[in-house]
């Protein structure tokens, strides 16, 4: 007898997390994503079905293969993958696990998925990203995009986060994670500037008085002694 895996019938599709590169068709028609491990073999759409990356004819996920979409249970685990140098330009995805799936210690391997939310990281300069710009490389007729701010995008082709979400369709939401740029102190108002000016003037008056006293002392020492012949 062949052992059977336990079956689950959840009321709602399970939620998982993964990282990927945002991609856009060369003609700008549709948006999708490119995985960072096995998923790097072929881009996928916001709503898509897994296929065996080895060209085998079985349906994914197969018990004796590692095909299928992959994700982890915890958001924090997926965020931890973004610290690797080769993954710094990837985005964080929240996905709905659809169809048949197999549970593992840290996540799922499954047949279909819907990308619900894509969270774009900060621009390399640290500012909050406002656009997705051409990253300079691509795969299978799709250009890879990366996060950028208005000051760093330069002359590269760019798409707003909302535009990418519309091109992805299927209810995709795209948001930007907070930047890490330093935040300076708030600009001073008129009352604060007036107080600073008064303080500087008081210090200047004090220094002028000290110089005048020093001048009188020096003048008294170098002057006539007051003794007559």
């Amino acid at each position: 007898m062949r052992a059977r895996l336990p079956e689950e019938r959840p009321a709602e599709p399970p939620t998982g997390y993964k990282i990927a590169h945002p991609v856009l068709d060369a003609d700008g028609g549709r948006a999708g994503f490119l995985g960072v491990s096995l998923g790097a073999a072929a881009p996928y759409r916001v709503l898509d079905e897994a296929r065996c990356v080895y060209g085998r004819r079985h349906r994914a996920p197969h018990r004796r293969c590692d095909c299928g979409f992959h994700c982890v249970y915890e958001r924090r685990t997926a965020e931890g993958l973004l610290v690797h140098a080769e993954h710094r330009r990837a985005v964080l995805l929240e996905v709905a696990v659809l169809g048949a799936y197999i549970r593992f210690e840290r996540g799922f391997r499954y047949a279909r998925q819907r990308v619900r939310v894509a969270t774009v990281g900060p621009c390399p300069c640290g500012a909050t990203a406002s656009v997705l710009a051409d990253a300079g490389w691509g795969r299978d007729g799709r250009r890879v995009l990366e996060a950028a701010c208005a000051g760093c995008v330069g002359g590269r082709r760019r798409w707003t986060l909302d535009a990418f979400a519309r091109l992805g369709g299927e209810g995709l939401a795209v948001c930007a994670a907070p930047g890490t740029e330093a935040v300076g102190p708030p600009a001073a108002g008129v009352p604060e500037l007036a107080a600073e000016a008064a303080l500087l003037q008081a210090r200047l008056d004090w220094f002028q008085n000290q110089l005048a006293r020093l001048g009188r002392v020096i003048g008294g020492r170098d002057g006539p002694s007051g003794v007559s012949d």
Side-chain angles (χ1 to χ4, degrees):
M1 297 179 61
R2 188 172 64 180
R4 295 177 60 89
L5 293 174
E7 294 186 1
E8 300 181 33
R9 298 187 180 276
E12 297 290 337
T15 297
Y17 301 90
K18 61 196 303 181
I19 64 173
H21 297 285
V23 298
L24 198 64
D25 288 354
D27 61 3
R30 294 185 65 185
F33 299 94
L34 181 68
V36 298
S37 56
L38 285 177
Y44 52 86
R45 302 297 184 185
V46 174
L47 176 62
D48 213 335
E49 184 173 349
R51 300 166 184 82
C52 181
V53 295
Y54 305 108
R56 298 169 184 166
R57 295 184 178 181
H58 56 239
R59 298 179 61 181
H62 196 276
R63 290 177 57 193
R64 297 181 180 178
C65 185
D66 55 4
C67 59
F69 290 122
H70 295 72
C71 71
V72 295
Y73 301 134
E74 300 293 336
R75 180 187 182 98
R76 183 179 301 178
T77 304
E79 289 175 335
L81 300 175
L82 294 171
V83 304
H84 297 279
E86 64 271 25
H87 301 158
R88 290 291 179 93
R89 303 299 178 88
V91 301
L92 176 68
L93 304 182
E94 176 189 307
V95 302
V97 175
L98 306 175
Y101 60 82
I102 301 173
R103 282 185 180 269
F104 291 92
E105 181 180 359
R106 300 179 63 188
F108 299 100
R109 182 160 63 89
Y110 50 103
R112 300 177 66 240
Q113 76 175 5
R114 181 192 302 274
V115 181
R116 293 170 175 165
V117 183
T119 302
V120 178
C123 176
C125 75
T128 301
S130 58
V131 297
L132 289 168
D134 191 340
W137 63 285
R139 182 163 297 165
D140 294 342
R142 297 175 177 90
R143 70 177 80 244
V144 174
L145 308 180
E146 63 183 14
C149 68
C152 295
V153 67
R156 293 182 292 168
R157 295 189 64 183
R158 82 289 304 269
W159 291 262
T160 66
L161 306 188
D162 289 341
F164 184 86
R166 288 194 300 271
L167 292 172
E170 303 292 346
L172 173 66
V174 183
C175 59
T180 57
E181 67 270 31
V183 178
V190 174
E192 290 83 0
L193 292 176
E196 289 288 343
L199 180 60
L200 290 175
Q201 185 62 49
R203 290 177 177 175
L204 180 60
D205 292 342
W206 183 84
F207 279 114
Q208 288 178 335
N209 290 334
Q210 295 300 313
L211 289 173
R213 290 180 58 189
L214 182 60
R216 289 195 295 270
V217 171
I218 294 176
R221 290 178 178 176
D222 293 343
S225 61
V227 179
S228 60
D229 294 336

